[in-house]
């Protein structure tokens, strides 16, 4: 987890966010009741402005995207570079990139694992990442190799405080 | 290169942060300065290799200390530089670029975003890498504009696309940044950016005395009308040369950088460095370091590996977003009239992603399905067509079709 927990407090994009007011929109929690127990997806956030949604009780596959804050700061996406399926990544490795306003910005993997699905809608329509960064504009699904890595990531409230700093 | 070219001219710098061995001094100066906490670092390249210069830039981006602000200036030999997510078959006339009698022009894919630009010895690239938290897309374009104003180029300003432009002759720019520019404005510098959480850079070209007329034909792809491509399009703009000398420009930009971050009172520190006078190292007073870099930096593993990656066909061609070559042209596209036309009865659709053919519309020519998995390249496709024959097609049509495709796409390094 060292790559995520780097002890530096800078925030990328903060200087280009201009007058954007921070409103962190939360992905909808996926609550399902099954056999009397409540399963709750975990949603965590990284300092690199990604979100990861995972329900370890259902499967070891998590969904990853960038936050509304990041999507706004980057500006209009013109291309989303998606990794090949079966790419194996370590937490903190770049596994894709968003291009906006002549800028290439890497997307870092929040956890270690293997890429099992990429959002093909983004290939045809990169602007989805601006319109719906935390829902339809998800970037990929990853088979998590060590679920405990999620513990080191930020809760929604912590992330909100992080981007407001 | 003489050893003194790479000598680190440090303005008072704590010796402990240098710890440079006395041998191989030209190499260790870059690694020492890049590894130091010197807040302001200036690197000037003596190499004209676009691959080496972009690798040095990337190395500085990845290794310089989190708080430092790094200016890097370099000039490349003739090169067409496409953006990270662009398509060489769309942007570049590859058959012409690979023609036997073509002049040597490097095809380069950079790591930053944006569109295609041309570099040659009449162009200077400036690059500023800094903490993301302080980064702004215009800051250093405006710094360069101030340098130009100081050289008497008063029509220079930054436009809404973060590019530097020249207002029509006789105009004096009212500000270093203008959201709207009048008709007749021409671009002299294109900008692109790379952003990460901690560090970001802005790099830009500056057309001083570029032989733009030499390159125009290379930037028109014959295949463009037959391709439907994902990725980033170039925005074509009328361009102009500034008409000042390279050394004059480099000096002016370095001085403006110094003014901006050192302040006027400390400019003598910079003057000392730029005048190539070695000064004693005074621990604790380090403010700015100036370093000339060149081929000796290939001794740094990361730089050499980065250069090999940038030069590899896997990066230049294999990084290309999805594209489809189709005859007749893709839906809605007008048939490209001026381009050589394919032979009659020849309909085809070839889709490639990351430079590898993923699917072929095989209805008319079943043998073409053998192209799936092969590299998307004019030479590869032509050779396959002539070797396999194509179903019901007449022999002459097959040959003509293969030759036509190679004429559109070129026989590139990627196919070899």
């Amino acid at each position: 987890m060292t790559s995520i927990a780097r002890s530096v407090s800078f925030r990328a994009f903060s200087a280009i966010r201009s007058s954007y007011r921070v409103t962190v929109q939360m992905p909808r929690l996926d609550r399902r009741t099954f056999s009397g127990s409540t399963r709750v997806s975990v949603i965590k956030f990284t300092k690199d402005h990604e979100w990861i949604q995972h329900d370890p009780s259902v499967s070891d596959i998590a969904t990853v995207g960038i936050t509304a804050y990041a999507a706004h700061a980057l500006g209009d996406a013109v291309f989303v570079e998606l990794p090949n399926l079966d790419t194996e990544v370590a937490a903190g490795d770049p596994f894709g990139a968003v291009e906006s306003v002549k800028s290439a910005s890497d997307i870092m993997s929040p956890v270690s694992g293997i890429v099992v699905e990429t959002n093909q809608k983004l290939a045809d329509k990169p602007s989805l990442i601006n319109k719906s960064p935390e829902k339809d504009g998800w970037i990929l699904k990853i088979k998590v190799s060590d679920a405990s890595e999620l513990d080191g990531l930020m809760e929604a409230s912590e992330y909100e405080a992080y981007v407001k700093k | 290169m003489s050893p003194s070219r790479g000598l680190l001219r440090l303005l008072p710098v704590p010796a402990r942060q240098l710890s440079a061995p006395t041998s191989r001094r030209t190499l260790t100066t870059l690694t020492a300065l890049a590894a130091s906490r010197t807040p302001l670092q200036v690197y000037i390249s003596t190499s004209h290799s676009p691959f080496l210069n972009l690798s040095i830039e990337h190395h500085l981006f990845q290794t310089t200390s989190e708080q430092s602000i790094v200016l890097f200036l370099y000039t490349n030999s003739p090169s067409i530089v496409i953006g990270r997510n662009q398509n060489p078959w769309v942007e570049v006339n590859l058959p012409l670029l690979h023609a036997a009698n073509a002049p040597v022009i490097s095809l380069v894919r950079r790591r930053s975003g944006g569109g295609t630009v041309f570099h040659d010895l009449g162009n200077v690239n400036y690059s500023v890498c800094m903490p993301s938290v302080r980064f702004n897309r215009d800051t250093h374009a405006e710094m360069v504009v101030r340098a130009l104003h100081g050289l008497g180029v008063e029509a220079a300003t930054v436009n809404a696309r973060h590019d530097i432009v020249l207002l029509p002759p006789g105009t004096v720019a009212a500000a270093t940044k203008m959201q709207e520019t009048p008709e007749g404005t021409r671009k002299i510098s294109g900008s692109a950016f790379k952003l990460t959480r901690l560090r970001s850079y802005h790099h830009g070209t500056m057309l001083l005395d570029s032989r733009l007329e030499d390159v125009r034909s290379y930037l028109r792809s014959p295949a463009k009308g037959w391709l439907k491509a994902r990725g980033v399009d170039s925005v074509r703009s009328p361009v102009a040369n500034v008409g000042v000398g390279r050394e004059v420009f480099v000096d002016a930009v370095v001085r403006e950088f110094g003014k901006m971050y050192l302040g006027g009172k400390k400019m003598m520190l910079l003057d000392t460095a730029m005048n190539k006078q070695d000064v004693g190292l005074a621990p604790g007073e380090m403010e700015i370091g100036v370093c000339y870099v060149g081929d000796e930096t290939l001794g740094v593993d990361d730089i050499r590996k980065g250069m090999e990656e940038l030069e590899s066909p896997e990066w230049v061609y294999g990084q290309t977003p999805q594209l489809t070559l189709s005859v007749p042209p893709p839906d809605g596209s007008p048939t490209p009239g001026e381009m050589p036309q394919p032979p009659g009865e020849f309909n085809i659709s070839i889709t490639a992603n990351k430079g590898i053919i993923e699917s072929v519309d095989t209805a008319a020519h079943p043998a073409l399905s053998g192209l799936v998995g092969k590299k998307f390249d004019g030479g590869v496709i032509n050779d396959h067509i002539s070797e396999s024959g194509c179903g019901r097609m007449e022999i002459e049509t097959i040959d003509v079709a293969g030759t036509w495709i190679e004429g559109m796409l070129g026989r590139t390094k990627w196919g070899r």
Side-chain angles (χ1 to χ4, degrees):
Chain A
M1 286 314 297
T2 51
S3 51
I4 298 287
R6 279 182 292 239
S7 61
V8 186
S9 60
F10 295 126
R11 295 146 293 146
F13 320 126
S14 55
I16 50 173
R17 71 190 166 187
S18 63
S19 61
Y20 177 56
R21 282 177 189 279
V22 177
T23 50
V24 177
Q25 293 160 10
M26 297 301 307
R28 284 194 190 92
L29 291 178
D30 184 17
R31 287 168 193 272
R32 277 168 291 176
T33 309
F34 183 73
S35 300
S37 68
T38 302
R39 291 181 174 164
V40 181
S41 285
V42 180
I43 299 175
K44 295 281 190 126
F45 297 83
T46 72
K47 287 181 175 171
D48 288 306
H49 306 279
E50 286 105 19
W51 55 265
I52 176 165
Q53 182 175 21
H54 185 216
D55 187 343
S57 67
V58 173
S59 83
D60 54 1
I61 291 169
T63 307
V64 177
I66 66 168
T67 65
Y69 173 84
H72 185 92
L74 290 173
D76 295 340
V78 289
F79 187 73
V80 182
E81 196 181 318
L82 298 165
N84 290 327
L85 296 186
D86 299 329
T87 302
E88 194 171 348
V89 289
D93 283 355
F95 63 1
V98 177
E99 178 165 342
S100 58
V101 204
K102 299 192 270 190
S103 309
S105 309
D106 292 335
I107 309 164
M108 310 296 192
S109 184
V111 293
S112 306
I114 295 168
V115 176
V116 294
E117 191 180 344
T118 55
N119 186 353
Q120 289 307 307
K121 282 187 192 160
L122 288 177
D124 288 321
K125 206 177 164 196
S127 61
L128 252 189
I129 218 159
N130 297 107
K131 285 194 190 105
S132 180
E134 294 176 347
K135 203 169 165 238
D136 297 343
W138 60 275
I139 291 170
L140 53 80
K141 296 189 179 183
I142 184 169
K143 189 168 187 237
V144 179
S145 54
D146 178 5
S148 70
E149 286 182 342
L150 276 103
D151 299 341
L153 303 180
M154 286 181 277
E155 300 286 348
S157 57
E158 291 173 283
Y159 178 71
E160 199 164 351
Y162 171 71
V163 296
K164 275 182 179 166
K165 253 191 310 198
Chain B
M1 174 181 292
S2 75
S4 66
R5 294 298 298 277
L7 195 61
L8 175 62
R9 274 169 286 280
L10 266 201
L11 311 171
V13 167
R16 64 184 157 74
Q17 290 183 0
L18 284 170
S19 66
T22 47
S23 62
R24 302 178 69 200
R25 208 171 163 195
T26 51
L27 174 58
T28 54
T29 47
L30 173 130
T31 49
L33 182 56
S36 76
R37 291 193 185 161
T38 309
L40 299 175
Q41 303 178 13
V42 178
Y43 299 83
I44 299 170
S45 180
T46 57
S47 166
H48 291 158
S49 160
F51 302 105
L52 179 58
N53 284 330
L54 285 173
S55 297
I56 294 172
E57 182 178 59
H58 189 64
H59 178 74
L60 293 172
F61 175 57
Q62 292 198 308
T63 60
T64 48
S65 67
E66 282 166 21
Q67 299 283 10
S68 63
I69 302 179
V70 178
L71 172 67
F72 180 42
L73 293 150
Y74 56 97
T75 289
N76 290 333
S77 57
S79 329
I80 292 168
V81 184
I82 63 174
R84 181 192 178 99
N85 296 308
Q86 287 204 293
N87 188 313
W89 290 279
V90 171
E91 299 296 333
V92 184
N93 188 330
L94 293 173
L96 193 61
L97 193 68
H98 291 89
N101 56 352
V104 177
I105 300 178
S106 306
L107 174 60
V108 185
R109 182 191 295 276
R110 61 177 185 267
R111 296 179 197 274
S112 60
T116 301
V117 291
F118 173 63
H119 294 178
D120 67 4
L121 299 181
N123 175 74
V124 170
N125 302 288
Y126 62 92
S127 163
V128 181
C129 165
M130 64 186 304
S132 298
V133 73
R134 299 173 68 184
F135 185 79
N136 174 297
R137 289 188 177 101
D138 288 324
T139 309
H140 296 100
E142 292 188 63
M143 173 187 85
V144 171
V145 162
R146 286 195 300 276
L148 289 172
H149 289 178
L151 295 172
V153 187
E154 294 177 322
T157 190
V158 179
N159 71 6
R161 286 181 52 79
H162 317 286
D163 292 326
I164 303 176
V165 295
L166 272 190
L167 299 174
T171 319
V172 174
T176 50
K177 166 90 183 178
M178 293 168 72
Q179 284 302 330
E180 287 183 29
T181 51
E183 189 84 1
T185 296
R186 289 166 303 161
K187 178 170 161 179
I188 52 175
S189 162
S191 286
F193 313 90
K194 174 115 179 97
L195 313 177
T196 63
R197 175 159 61 96
L198 296 177
R199 304 280 285 167
S200 295
Y201 68 74
H202 164 197
H203 59 184
T205 57
M206 181 56 69
L207 297 168
L208 298 175
D209 185 23
S210 226
R211 294 169 59 98
L212 300 162
E213 65 283 3
D214 288 2
V215 78
R216 220 151 257 156
S217 51
Y218 294 94
L219 294 177
R220 301 212 185 277
S221 165
K224 193 171 179 179
W226 309 96
L227 293 174
K228 186 173 182 183
R230 287 178 179 161
V232 175
D233 289 328
S234 291
V235 176
R236 284 181 188 272
S237 314
V239 291
N241 278 308
V242 178
V244 304
R246 217 161 74 194
E247 289 186 12
V248 172
F249 175 75
V250 166
D251 197 60
V253 170
V254 174
R255 289 187 61 80
E256 203 57 48
F257 178 77
K259 257 191 231 171
M260 194 169 162
Y261 291 110
L262 280 173
K265 284 182 188 165
K266 292 180 182 168
M267 280 299 282
M268 44 86 58
L269 291 179
L270 185 61
D271 290 340
T272 315
M274 292 305 286
N275 289 334
K276 306 183 179 179
Q277 297 164 7
D278 282 321
V279 294
L281 306 179
E285 292 174 21
M286 170 171 67
E287 299 211 33
I288 186 166
V290 179
C291 183
Y292 287 80
V293 294
D295 293 342
E296 79 288 344
T297 59
L298 284 168
V300 178
D301 282 353
D302 281 353
I303 294 180
R304 195 190 61 254
K305 283 181 197 157
M307 178 166 166
E308 286 165 3
E309 187 191 353
L310 286 180
E311 283 179 314
S312 70
E314 285 70 24
W315 172 257
V316 179
Y317 298 96
Q319 174 75 9
T320 305
Q322 193 189 81
L323 79 164
T324 301
L325 170 81
S326 39
V327 181
D331 299 341
S333 305
T335 306
E338 296 162 21
M339 305 298 185
Q341 297 296 309
E345 308 286 312
F346 179 74
N347 291 345
I348 192 171
S349 171
I350 303 175
T351 296
N353 193 17
K354 301 199 172 180
I356 305 291
I357 296 171
E358 283 188 337
S359 65
V360 179
D361 181 349
T362 60
H365 320 293
L368 284 176
S369 61
L371 278 168
V372 172
K374 292 194 174 187
K375 286 173 175 171
F376 183 83
D377 171 76
V380 170
I381 296 172
N382 189 12
D383 293 348
H384 179 85
I385 289 176
S386 28
E387 281 160 23
S388 62
C390 286
R392 286 164 284 174
M393 292 179 69
E394 297 295 330
I395 281 293
E396 303 89 77
T397 313
I398 296 168
D399 286 345
V400 174
T403 308
W404 178 79
I405 288 182
E406 186 174 330
M408 293 294 104
L409 303 179
R411 185 179 285 267
T412 71
K413 266 189 235 171
W414 178 232
R416 264 173 250 147

